[in-house]
Amino acid sequence: MHMNSTMKKEILIHKTFDYLNRLPQDKVTEVAEFVEFLYQKHEEYILKKGIQKMVTDSKSFEFLKKKRNYIL
């Protein structure tokens, strides 16, 4: 049986939850802080990619391309 990525993600979440339930409070806190750090990095990456796409798709600087081609 071939699992899709959603099923794999759900299984990993469930396994992780089981492990977290067995850890002492201080370790759960440490894991939670690390997960928050990873989430923030992911959000920054998504934001950066969105800004790059906006700039790439924008026509605002089209005049610079035309001017550069004219000079060459």
Side-chain angles (χ1 to χ4, degrees), residues 46-60:
I46 297 296
L47 181 61
K48 188 165 111 176
K49 285 300 206 185
I51 290 170
Q52 287 175 343
K53 180 162 176 36
M54 248 181 15
V55 169
T56 302
D57 294 347
S58 173
K59 303 292 182 193
S60 298

Side-chain angles (χ1 to χ4, degrees), residues 6-18:
T6 303
M7 289 173 64
K8 289 178 186 178
K9 181 178 178 180
E10 291 300 320
I11 290 169
L12 285 172
I13 290 170
H14 183 70
K15 284 174 68 174
T16 303
F17 184 74
D18 286 344

Side-chain angles (χ1 to χ4, degrees), residues 15-71:
K15 284 174 68 174
T16 303
F17 184 74
D18 286 344
Y19 285 126
L20 284 170
N21 276 328
R22 297 179 199 164
L23 289 174
Q25 180 61 44
D26 63 322
K27 297 299 179 186
V28 172
T29 301
E30 190 176 333
V31 171
E33 289 170 353
F34 182 65
V35 170
E36 184 178 356
F37 167 77
L38 289 176
Y39 181 76
Q40 287 173 349
K41 292 304 244 179
H42 177 69
E43 287 291 304
E44 289 172 10
Y45 172 79
I46 297 296
L47 181 61
K48 188 165 111 176
K49 285 300 206 185
I51 290 170
Q52 287 175 343
K53 180 162 176 36
M54 248 181 15
V55 169
T56 302
D57 294 347
S58 173
K59 303 292 182 193
S60 298
F61 298 102
E62 197 68 31
F63 71 95
L64 291 175
K65 290 179 186 176
K66 290 177 184 175
K67 187 174 184 177
R68 188 177 69 212
N69 288 338
Y70 179 73
I71 293 172

